[in-house]
Amino acid sequence: TMEKRFLRPDGLYVWTSMTVSPLFDLFDTTPMHLLLLEDISARKVADEELKESERSKSVLLSNIPGLAYRCKNDSEWTMLYVSEGCYELTGYEAESLTNNRDISFEQLIAPEYRQKLRIEWDRVLRERRRLKYEYEIITIKGERKWVLELAEGIYSDSGDVETLEGIILDISDRKAIEDTLRYNSEH
């Protein structure tokens, strides 16, 4: 069995899965083979489209000023997937947060925002809306960073929340500018 590409008379290519098997006839000693060809062109196109989609997603995720994630809707926001932007944002490798290996995402949220964020998540999930929320996190070095979380719940067919998915963007520069503008307008 092998995959093989053939050139059609109209100049287009067709991908096939080709299977060759010996065919034995008890009365004839002439060697014969059975050849089965299956057109797999549609699957090949789908595979290429998937590869391209994954490549595009990878490029997009590697260029956002923050991280993308998928997590459980539990008390620690247990991360199932965290993009590589995690390191630049938090100082932790993505694997450190995945399944709470070294630290949970909940522990990174500044304590004064933890309950407020949970309340907001409960509200948007109940209303089946998207989350848009600003809060501070504490990095591995103990520095505070302002982040904007844009996310939504992913629901099962029965309507239960399966996971939460979104992005968390570093907005510390924007917050610093806002503080400067606010200070200048007050003085």
Coordinates of all heavy atoms in Angstrom, one line a residue, residues 8-94:
R8 N -3.6 13.5 -14.5 CA -4.8 13.1 -15.4 C -4.6 13.7 -16.8 O -3.8 14.6 -16.9 CB -6.1 13.7 -14.8 CG -6.4 13.1 -13.4 CD -7.7 13.5 -12.8 NE -8.3 14.8 -13.4 CZ -9.3 15.4 -12.8 NH1 -9.9 14.9 -11.8 NH2 -9.8 16.5 -13.3
P9 N -5.3 13.2 -17.7 CA -5.2 13.8 -19.1 C -5.5 15.3 -19.2 O -5.0 16.0 -20.1 CB -6.2 13.0 -19.9 CG -6.4 11.7 -19.2 CD -6.2 12.1 -17.7
D10 N -6.4 15.8 -18.3 CA -6.7 17.2 -18.3 C -5.6 18.1 -17.6 O -5.8 19.3 -17.5 CB -8.1 17.5 -17.7 CG -8.1 17.1 -16.2 OD1 -7.1 16.7 -15.6 OD2 -9.2 17.2 -15.6
G11 N -4.5 17.5 -17.2 CA -3.4 18.2 -16.6 C -3.5 18.4 -15.1 O -2.6 19.0 -14.5
L12 N -4.6 18.0 -14.5 CA -4.7 18.0 -13.0 C -4.1 16.8 -12.4 O -4.1 15.7 -13.0 CB -6.2 18.2 -12.6 CG -6.8 19.5 -13.1 CD1 -8.3 19.5 -12.7 CD2 -6.1 20.7 -12.5
Y13 N -3.7 16.9 -11.1 CA -3.2 15.8 -10.4 C -4.3 15.1 -9.5 O -5.2 15.8 -9.1 CB -2.1 16.2 -9.5 CG -0.8 16.4 -10.2 CD1 -0.4 17.7 -10.5 CD2 0.0 15.4 -10.6 CE1 0.8 18.0 -11.2 CE2 1.2 15.6 -11.3 CZ 1.6 16.9 -11.6 OH 2.7 17.1 -12.3
V14 N -4.2 13.9 -9.3 CA -5.2 13.1 -8.5 C -4.3 12.3 -7.5 O -3.3 11.6 -7.9 CB -6.2 12.2 -9.3 CG1 -5.5 11.2 -10.1 CG2 -7.2 11.6 -8.3
W15 N -4.6 12.4 -6.2 CA -3.9 11.6 -5.2 C -4.7 10.3 -5.0 O -5.9 10.3 -5.0 CB -3.8 12.4 -3.9 CG -2.7 13.3 -3.8 CD1 -2.7 14.6 -4.1 CD2 -1.3 13.0 -3.5 NE1 -1.4 15.2 -3.9 CE2 -0.6 14.1 -3.6 CE3 -0.7 11.8 -3.2 CZ2 0.8 14.2 -3.4 CZ3 0.7 11.8 -3.0 CH2 1.4 13.0 -3.0
T16 N -4.0 9.2 -4.9 CA -4.6 7.9 -4.7 C -3.9 7.2 -3.6 O -2.7 7.4 -3.3 CB -4.6 7.0 -6.0 OG1 -3.2 6.7 -6.3 CG2 -5.2 7.7 -7.2
S17 N -4.7 6.3 -3.0 CA -4.1 5.3 -2.2 C -4.1 4.0 -3.0 O -5.2 3.6 -3.5 CB -5.0 5.1 -0.9 OG -4.5 4.0 -0.1
M18 N -2.9 3.5 -3.2 CA -2.8 2.3 -4.1 C -2.5 1.1 -3.3 O -1.5 1.1 -2.5 CB -1.7 2.6 -5.2 CG -1.5 1.5 -6.2 SD -0.4 2.0 -7.5 CE 1.2 2.2 -6.7
T19 N -3.2 0.0 -3.5 CA -3.0 -1.2 -2.8 C -2.8 -2.3 -3.9 O -3.6 -2.5 -4.8 CB -4.1 -1.6 -1.9 OG1 -4.3 -0.6 -1.0 CG2 -3.9 -2.9 -1.1
V20 N -1.7 -3.0 -3.8 CA -1.4 -4.1 -4.7 C -1.3 -5.4 -3.9 O -0.6 -5.5 -2.9 CB 0.0 -3.9 -5.5 CG1 0.3 -5.0 -6.5 CG2 -0.1 -2.5 -6.2
S21 N -1.9 -6.4 -4.5 CA -1.9 -7.7 -3.8 C -1.7 -8.8 -4.8 O -2.3 -8.8 -5.9 CB -3.2 -7.9 -3.0 OG -3.2 -9.1 -2.3
P22 N -0.9 -9.9 -4.5 CA -0.8 -11.0 -5.5 C -2.2 -11.7 -5.6 O -2.9 -11.8 -4.6 CB 0.3 -11.9 -4.9 CG 0.4 -11.5 -3.5 CD -0.1 -10.1 -3.3
L23 N -2.5 -12.1 -6.8 CA -3.7 -12.9 -7.0 C -3.3 -14.3 -7.5 O -2.7 -14.4 -8.5 CB -4.6 -12.1 -8.0 CG -6.0 -12.6 -8.3 CD1 -6.8 -12.6 -7.0 CD2 -6.6 -11.8 -9.4
F24 N -3.7 -15.2 -6.7 CA -3.4 -16.6 -7.1 C -4.6 -17.3 -7.7 O -5.7 -17.3 -7.1 CB -2.9 -17.4 -5.8 CG -1.7 -16.7 -5.2 CD1 -1.8 -16.0 -4.0 CD2 -0.4 -16.9 -5.7 CE1 -0.7 -15.4 -3.4 CE2 0.7 -16.3 -5.1 CZ 0.6 -15.6 -4.0
D25 N -4.3 -18.0 -8.7 CA -5.3 -18.8 -9.4 C -4.8 -20.3 -9.4 O -3.7 -20.6 -9.8 CB -5.5 -18.3 -10.8 CG -6.7 -19.1 -11.5 OD1 -7.1 -20.1 -11.0 OD2 -7.1 -18.6 -12.6
L26 N -5.6 -21.2 -8.9 CA -5.1 -22.6 -8.7 C -4.9 -23.2 -10.1 O -4.1 -24.2 -10.2 CB -6.2 -23.3 -7.9 CG -6.4 -22.9 -6.5 CD1 -7.5 -23.7 -5.8 CD2 -5.1 -23.0 -5.7
F27 N -5.6 -22.8 -11.1 CA -5.5 -23.5 -12.4 C -4.6 -22.8 -13.4 O -4.2 -23.3 -14.4 CB -6.9 -23.6 -13.0 CG -7.9 -24.3 -12.1 CD1 -8.8 -23.6 -11.5 CD2 -7.7 -25.7 -11.9 CE1 -9.7 -24.2 -10.6 CE2 -8.6 -26.3 -11.0 CZ -9.6 -25.6 -10.3
D28 N -4.1 -21.6 -13.1 CA -3.3 -20.8 -14.0 C -2.0 -20.4 -13.3 O -2.1 -19.9 -12.2 CB -4.0 -19.6 -14.5 CG -3.3 -18.9 -15.6 OD1 -2.2 -19.3 -16.0 OD2 -3.8 -17.9 -16.1
T29 N -0.9 -20.6 -13.8 CA 0.4 -20.3 -13.2 C 0.9 -18.9 -13.6 O 2.0 -18.5 -13.1 CB 1.4 -21.4 -13.5 OG1 1.6 -21.4 -14.9 CG2 1.1 -22.7 -12.9
T30 N 0.2 -18.2 -14.4 CA 0.6 -16.9 -14.8 C 0.5 -15.9 -13.6 O -0.6 -15.9 -13.0 CB -0.3 -16.3 -15.9 OG1 -0.4 -17.3 -17.0 CG2 0.2 -15.0 -16.4
P31 N 1.6 -15.3 -13.2 CA 1.5 -14.4 -12.1 C 0.6 -13.2 -12.4 O 0.6 -12.6 -13.4 CB 2.9 -13.9 -11.9 CG 3.7 -14.4 -13.0 CD 2.9 -15.3 -13.9
M32 N -0.3 -12.9 -11.4 CA -1.3 -11.8 -11.6 C -1.3 -11.1 -10.3 O -1.0 -11.6 -9.2 CB -2.7 -12.4 -11.9 CG -2.7 -13.0 -13.3 SD -4.4 -13.4 -13.9 CE -5.2 -14.1 -12.6
H33 N -1.8 -9.8 -10.4 CA -1.9 -9.0 -9.2 C -3.2 -8.2 -9.3 O -3.7 -7.9 -10.3 CB -0.7 -8.0 -9.1 CG 0.6 -8.6 -8.8 ND1 1.3 -9.2 -9.8 CD2 1.2 -8.8 -7.7 CE1 2.5 -9.6 -9.3 NE2 2.4 -9.4 -8.0
L34 N -3.7 -7.9 -8.1 CA -4.9 -7.1 -8.0 C -4.5 -5.7 -7.5 O -3.8 -5.6 -6.5 CB -5.9 -7.7 -6.9 CG -7.2 -7.0 -6.7 CD1 -8.0 -6.9 -7.9 CD2 -8.0 -7.6 -5.5
L35 N -4.9 -4.7 -8.3 CA -4.6 -3.3 -7.9 C -5.9 -2.6 -7.6 O -6.8 -2.5 -8.4 CB -3.9 -2.7 -9.1 CG -3.6 -1.2 -9.0 CD1 -2.6 -0.9 -7.9 CD2 -3.1 -0.7 -10.4
L36 N -5.9 -2.0 -6.4 CA -7.0 -1.2 -6.0 C -6.5 0.3 -5.9 O -5.5 0.5 -5.2 CB -7.6 -1.6 -4.7 CG -8.1 -3.0 -4.6 CD1 -8.5 -3.4 -3.2 CD2 -9.4 -3.1 -5.5
L37 N -7.2 1.2 -6.5 CA -6.9 2.6 -6.4 C -8.1 3.4 -5.8 O -9.2 3.2 -6.3 CB -6.6 3.2 -7.8 CG -5.3 2.9 -8.5 CD1 -5.3 3.5 -9.9 CD2 -4.1 3.3 -7.7
E38 N -7.8 4.1 -4.8 CA -8.8 4.9 -4.2 C -8.4 6.4 -4.3 O -7.3 6.8 -3.9 CB -9.0 4.6 -2.7 CG -10.0 5.4 -1.9 CD -10.0 5.1 -0.4 OE1 -9.1 4.3 0.1 OE2 -10.8 5.7 0.3
D39 N -9.3 7.2 -4.8 CA -9.1 8.7 -4.9 C -9.1 9.3 -3.5 O -10.1 9.3 -2.9 CB -10.1 9.3 -5.8 CG -9.9 10.8 -6.1 OD1 -9.0 11.4 -5.4 OD2 -10.5 11.3 -7.0
I40 N -8.0 9.8 -3.1 CA -7.9 10.5 -1.8 C -7.5 12.0 -1.9 O -7.1 12.6 -1.0 CB -6.8 9.8 -0.9 CG1 -5.4 9.8 -1.5 CG2 -7.3 8.3 -0.5 CD1 -4.3 9.4 -0.6
S41 N -7.8 12.5 -3.1 CA -7.5 13.9 -3.3 C -8.2 14.8 -2.3 O -7.5 15.8 -1.8 CB -7.9 14.3 -4.7 OG -7.2 13.5 -5.7
A42 N -9.4 14.6 -2.0 CA -10.2 15.4 -1.1 C -9.5 15.4 0.3 O -9.4 16.5 1.0 CB -11.6 15.0 -1.0
R43 N -9.1 14.2 0.7 CA -8.4 14.1 2.0 C -7.1 14.9 2.0 O -6.7 15.5 3.0 CB -8.2 12.6 2.4 CG -7.7 12.5 3.8 CD -7.2 11.1 4.2 NE -5.8 11.1 3.7 CZ -5.1 10.0 3.4 NH1 -5.8 8.9 3.3 NH2 -3.9 10.1 3.0
K44 N -6.3 14.8 0.9 CA -5.0 15.5 0.8 C -5.3 17.0 0.9 O -4.5 17.7 1.5 CB -4.3 15.1 -0.5 CG -3.7 13.7 -0.5 CD -2.5 13.7 0.5 CE -1.5 12.7 0.2 NZ -0.4 12.7 1.1
V45 N -6.3 17.5 0.2 CA -6.6 18.9 0.2 C -6.9 19.3 1.7 O -6.4 20.3 2.2 CB -7.7 19.3 -0.7 CG1 -8.3 20.7 -0.5 CG2 -7.3 19.1 -2.2
A46 N -7.8 18.5 2.4 CA -8.1 18.8 3.7 C -6.9 18.8 4.6 O -6.8 19.6 5.5 CB -9.2 17.8 4.2
D47 N -6.0 17.8 4.4 CA -4.8 17.8 5.2 C -3.9 19.0 5.0 O -3.4 19.6 6.0 CB -3.9 16.5 4.9 CG -4.5 15.2 5.3 OD1 -5.5 15.3 6.2 OD2 -4.0 14.2 4.9
E48 N -3.8 19.5 3.8 CA -3.0 20.7 3.5 C -3.7 21.9 4.1 O -3.0 22.8 4.7 CB -2.8 20.9 2.0 CG -1.8 19.9 1.4 CD -0.5 20.0 2.0 OE1 0.1 21.1 2.3 OE2 0.1 19.0 2.4
E49 N -5.0 22.0 4.0 CA -5.7 23.1 4.6 C -5.6 23.1 6.2 O -5.4 24.2 6.8 CB -7.2 23.1 4.3 CG -7.5 23.4 2.8 CD -8.9 23.2 2.4 OE1 -9.7 22.6 3.1 OE2 -9.2 23.7 1.3
L50 N -5.6 21.9 6.8 CA -5.4 21.8 8.2 C -4.0 22.3 8.6 O -3.8 23.0 9.5 CB -5.7 20.4 8.7 CG -5.5 20.2 10.2 CD1 -6.4 21.0 11.0 CD2 -5.7 18.7 10.5
K51 N -3.0 21.8 7.8 CA -1.6 22.2 8.1 C -1.4 23.7 8.0 O -0.8 24.4 8.8 CB -0.7 21.6 7.1 CG 0.0 20.3 7.6 CD 1.2 19.9 6.7 CE 0.8 18.7 6.0 NZ 1.9 18.2 5.1
E52 N -2.0 24.3 7.0 CA -2.0 25.8 6.8 C -2.7 26.5 7.9 O -2.2 27.5 8.4 CB -2.6 26.2 5.4 CG -2.6 27.7 5.2 CD -1.2 28.3 5.2 OE1 -0.2 27.6 5.0 OE2 -1.1 29.5 5.4
S53 N -3.8 26.0 8.3 CA -4.5 26.6 9.4 C -3.7 26.5 10.7 O -3.6 27.5 11.5 CB -5.9 25.9 9.6 OG -6.5 26.3 10.8
E54 N -3.1 25.4 11.0 CA -2.3 25.2 12.2 C -1.1 26.2 12.1 O -0.7 26.8 13.1 CB -1.8 23.8 12.3 CG -2.9 22.8 12.7 CD -3.5 23.1 14.1 OE1 -2.8 23.5 15.0 OE2 -4.8 23.0 14.2
R55 N -0.5 26.3 10.9 CA 0.7 27.2 10.8 C 0.3 28.7 11.0 O 0.9 29.4 11.8 CB 1.3 27.1 9.4 CG 2.6 27.9 9.2 CD 2.9 28.2 7.7 NE 1.8 28.9 7.1 CZ 1.6 30.3 7.2 NH1 2.4 31.0 8.0 NH2 0.7 30.9 6.5
S56 N -0.9 29.1 10.5 CA -1.4 30.4 10.7 C -1.7 30.7 12.1 O -1.4 31.8 12.7 CB -2.6 30.7 9.8 OG -2.3 30.6 8.5
K57 N -2.3 29.7 12.8 CA -2.6 29.9 14.2 C -1.4 30.0 15.0 O -1.3 30.8 15.9 CB -3.5 28.7 14.7 CG -3.9 28.8 16.1 CD -4.9 27.7 16.5 CE -4.2 26.4 16.7 NZ -5.0 25.3 17.2
S58 N -0.4 29.2 14.7 CA 0.9 29.3 15.4 C 1.6 30.6 15.3 O 2.1 31.2 16.2 CB 1.8 28.1 14.9 OG 3.1 28.2 15.5
V59 N 1.6 31.2 14.1 CA 2.1 32.5 13.8 C 1.4 33.5 14.6 O 2.0 34.4 15.3 CB 2.2 32.8 12.3 CG1 2.5 34.3 12.1 CG2 3.2 31.9 11.6
L60 N 0.1 33.5 14.5 CA -0.8 34.4 15.3 C -0.5 34.4 16.8 O -0.3 35.4 17.4 CB -2.3 34.2 15.0 CG -3.2 35.0 15.8 CD1 -3.1 36.5 15.3 CD2 -4.7 34.5 15.6
L61 N -0.5 33.2 17.3 CA -0.3 33.0 18.8 C 1.1 33.5 19.2 O 1.2 34.0 20.3 CB -0.6 31.6 19.2 CG -2.0 31.1 19.1 CD1 -2.2 29.7 19.5 CD2 -3.0 32.0 19.9
S62 N 2.1 33.3 18.4 CA 3.4 33.6 18.7 C 3.6 35.1 18.7 O 4.6 35.6 19.2 CB 4.4 32.9 17.9 OG 4.4 33.4 16.5
N63 N 2.7 35.9 18.1 CA 2.9 37.3 17.9 C 1.9 38.2 18.8 O 2.0 39.4 18.7 CB 2.7 37.7 16.5 CG 4.0 37.3 15.7 OD1 5.0 37.8 15.9 ND2 3.8 36.4 14.7
I64 N 1.1 37.5 19.6 CA 0.2 38.3 20.4 C 1.0 38.7 21.7 O 1.8 37.9 22.2 CB -1.1 37.6 20.8 CG1 -0.9 36.4 21.6 CG2 -2.0 37.4 19.6 CD1 -2.1 35.8 22.2
P65 N 0.8 39.9 22.2 CA 1.5 40.3 23.5 C 0.8 39.7 24.7 O 0.2 40.4 25.5 CB 1.3 41.9 23.4 CG 0.0 42.1 22.7 CD -0.1 41.0 21.7
G66 N 0.8 38.5 24.8 CA 0.2 37.8 25.9 C 0.1 36.3 25.6 O 1.0 35.7 25.0
L67 N -1.0 35.7 26.0 CA -1.1 34.2 25.9 C -2.5 33.9 25.5 O -3.5 34.6 25.7 CB -0.7 33.5 27.1 CG -1.5 33.7 28.4 CD1 -2.7 32.8 28.5 CD2 -0.6 33.5 29.6
A68 N -2.6 32.7 24.8 CA -3.9 32.1 24.5 C -4.0 30.9 25.4 O -3.0 30.3 25.8 CB -4.0 31.7 23.1
Y69 N -5.2 30.5 25.8 CA -5.4 29.4 26.7 C -6.7 28.7 26.5 O -7.7 29.2 25.9 CB -5.3 29.9 28.2 CG -6.6 30.7 28.6 CD1 -7.7 30.1 29.1 CD2 -6.6 32.1 28.4 CE1 -8.8 30.8 29.5 CE2 -7.8 32.8 28.7 CZ -8.9 32.1 29.3 OH -10.0 32.8 29.6
R70 N -6.8 27.5 27.1 CA -8.0 26.7 27.3 C -7.9 26.2 28.7 O -6.8 25.6 29.1 CB -8.1 25.6 26.3 CG -9.4 24.7 26.5 CD -9.5 23.5 25.6 NE -9.1 23.8 24.2 CZ -7.9 23.4 23.7 NH1 -7.0 22.7 24.4 NH2 -7.6 23.6 22.4
C71 N -8.9 26.4 29.5 CA -8.8 25.9 30.9 C -10.1 25.4 31.4 O -11.2 25.5 30.8 CB -8.3 27.1 31.8 SG -9.6 28.3 32.2
K72 N -10.0 24.7 32.5 CA -11.2 24.2 33.2 C -11.9 25.3 33.9 O -11.3 26.3 34.2 CB -10.9 23.1 34.2 CG -10.3 21.8 33.6 CD -9.9 20.9 34.7 CE -9.3 19.6 34.2 NZ -8.9 18.7 35.3
N73 N -13.2 25.2 34.1 CA -14.0 26.2 34.8 C -14.0 25.7 36.3 O -15.0 25.4 36.8 CB -15.4 26.3 34.3 CG -16.1 27.4 35.0 OD1 -15.5 28.4 35.4 ND2 -17.4 27.3 35.1
D74 N -12.8 25.6 36.9 CA -12.7 25.2 38.3 C -12.1 26.3 39.1 O -11.9 27.4 38.6 CB -11.9 23.9 38.4 CG -10.4 24.0 37.9 OD1 -10.0 25.2 37.7 OD2 -9.8 23.0 37.8
S75 N -12.0 26.1 40.4 CA -11.5 27.2 41.3 C -10.1 27.7 41.0 O -9.8 28.8 41.4 CB -11.6 26.7 42.8 OG -10.8 25.6 43.0
E76 N -9.3 26.9 40.4 CA -7.9 27.3 40.1 C -7.7 27.7 38.6 O -6.6 28.0 38.2 CB -7.0 26.2 40.4 CG -7.0 25.9 41.9 CD -6.0 24.8 42.3 OE1 -6.0 23.7 41.6 OE2 -5.3 25.0 43.3
W77 N -8.8 27.6 37.8 CA -8.7 27.8 36.4 C -7.5 27.0 35.8 O -6.6 27.4 35.2 CB -8.5 29.3 36.0 CG -9.7 30.1 36.1 CD1 -10.9 29.9 35.4 CD2 -10.0 31.2 37.0 NE1 -11.8 30.8 35.8 CE2 -11.3 31.6 36.8 CE3 -9.2 31.8 38.0 CZ2 -11.9 32.6 37.5 CZ3 -9.8 32.9 38.7 CH2 -11.1 33.3 38.4
T78 N -7.6 25.7 36.0 CA -6.6 24.7 35.6 C -6.4 24.8 34.1 O -7.3 24.5 33.3 CB -7.0 23.3 36.0 OG1 -7.2 23.3 37.5 CG2 -6.0 22.3 35.6
M79 N -5.2 25.1 33.7 CA -4.9 25.3 32.3 C -4.7 23.9 31.6 O -4.0 23.1 32.1 CB -3.7 26.1 32.1 CG -3.8 27.6 32.5 SD -5.0 28.4 31.5 CE -5.1 30.0 32.3
L80 N -5.4 23.7 30.5 CA -5.3 22.6 29.7 C -4.3 22.8 28.5 O -3.6 22.0 28.0 CB -6.7 22.1 29.1 CG -7.7 21.8 30.2 CD1 -9.1 21.6 29.6 CD2 -7.3 20.6 31.1
Y81 N -4.3 24.1 28.1 CA -3.4 24.5 27.0 C -3.1 26.0 27.3 O -3.9 26.8 27.7 CB -4.1 24.5 25.6 CG -3.4 25.3 24.6 CD1 -2.2 24.7 24.0 CD2 -3.7 26.6 24.2 CE1 -1.5 25.4 23.0 CE2 -3.0 27.3 23.3 CZ -1.9 26.7 22.7 OH -1.1 27.4 21.8
V82 N -1.8 26.3 27.2 CA -1.3 27.7 27.3 C -0.3 27.9 26.2 O 0.6 27.1 26.0 CB -0.6 27.9 28.7 CG1 -0.2 29.3 28.9 CG2 -1.5 27.4 29.8
S83 N -0.4 29.0 25.5 CA 0.5 29.3 24.4 C 1.9 29.7 24.9 O 2.0 30.1 26.1 CB -0.1 30.3 23.5 OG -0.1 31.6 24.1
E84 N 2.9 29.8 24.1 CA 4.2 30.1 24.5 C 4.4 31.5 24.9 O 5.3 31.9 25.6 CB 5.2 29.8 23.3 CG 5.3 28.4 22.9 CD 5.7 27.5 24.1 OE1 6.7 27.8 24.8 OE2 5.1 26.4 24.3
G85 N 3.4 32.4 24.6 CA 3.4 33.8 25.1 C 3.4 33.9 26.6 O 3.6 34.9 27.2
C86 N 3.1 32.7 27.3 CA 3.0 32.7 28.7 C 4.3 33.2 29.4 O 4.3 33.9 30.4 CB 2.7 31.2 29.1 SG 2.5 31.0 30.9
Y87 N 5.4 32.7 28.8 CA 6.7 33.1 29.4 C 6.9 34.6 29.5 O 7.3 35.1 30.5 CB 7.8 32.4 28.7 CG 9.2 32.6 29.3 CD1 9.6 32.0 30.5 CD2 10.1 33.6 28.8 CE1 10.8 32.3 31.1 CE2 11.3 33.8 29.4 CZ 11.6 33.2 30.5 OH 12.8 33.5 31.1
E88 N 6.7 35.2 28.3 CA 6.9 36.7 28.3 C 6.0 37.4 29.2 O 6.4 38.4 29.8 CB 6.8 37.2 26.8 CG 7.3 38.6 26.7 CD 7.3 39.1 25.3 OE1 7.5 38.3 24.4 OE2 7.2 40.3 25.0
L89 N 4.8 37.0 29.3 CA 3.8 37.6 30.1 C 4.0 37.4 31.6 O 3.9 38.3 32.4 CB 2.4 37.2 29.7 CG 1.2 37.8 30.5 CD1 1.1 39.3 30.2 CD2 -0.1 37.2 30.2
T90 N 4.3 36.1 32.0 CA 4.3 35.8 33.4 C 5.7 35.4 34.0 O 5.8 35.4 35.2 CB 3.4 34.6 33.7 OG1 4.0 33.4 33.0 CG2 2.0 34.8 33.1
G91 N 6.6 35.1 33.1 CA 7.9 34.6 33.5 C 7.9 33.1 33.7 O 8.9 32.5 34.0
Y92 N 6.7 32.4 33.6 CA 6.6 31.0 33.7 C 6.5 30.4 32.3 O 5.9 30.9 31.5 CB 5.3 30.6 34.5 CG 5.4 30.9 36.0 CD1 4.8 32.1 36.4 CD2 5.9 30.1 36.9 CE1 4.8 32.5 37.8 CE2 6.0 30.4 38.2 CZ 5.4 31.6 38.7 OH 5.4 31.9 40.0
E93 N 7.2 29.2 32.2 CA 7.0 28.4 31.0 C 5.5 27.9 30.9 O 4.9 27.7 31.9 CB 7.9 27.2 30.9 CG 9.4 27.6 30.9 CD 9.9 28.2 29.6 OE1 9.2 28.1 28.6 OE2 10.9 28.9 29.7
A94 N 5.0 27.8 29.7 CA 3.6 27.3 29.5 C 3.4 26.0 30.3 O 2.3 25.8 30.9 CB 3.3 27.1 28.0

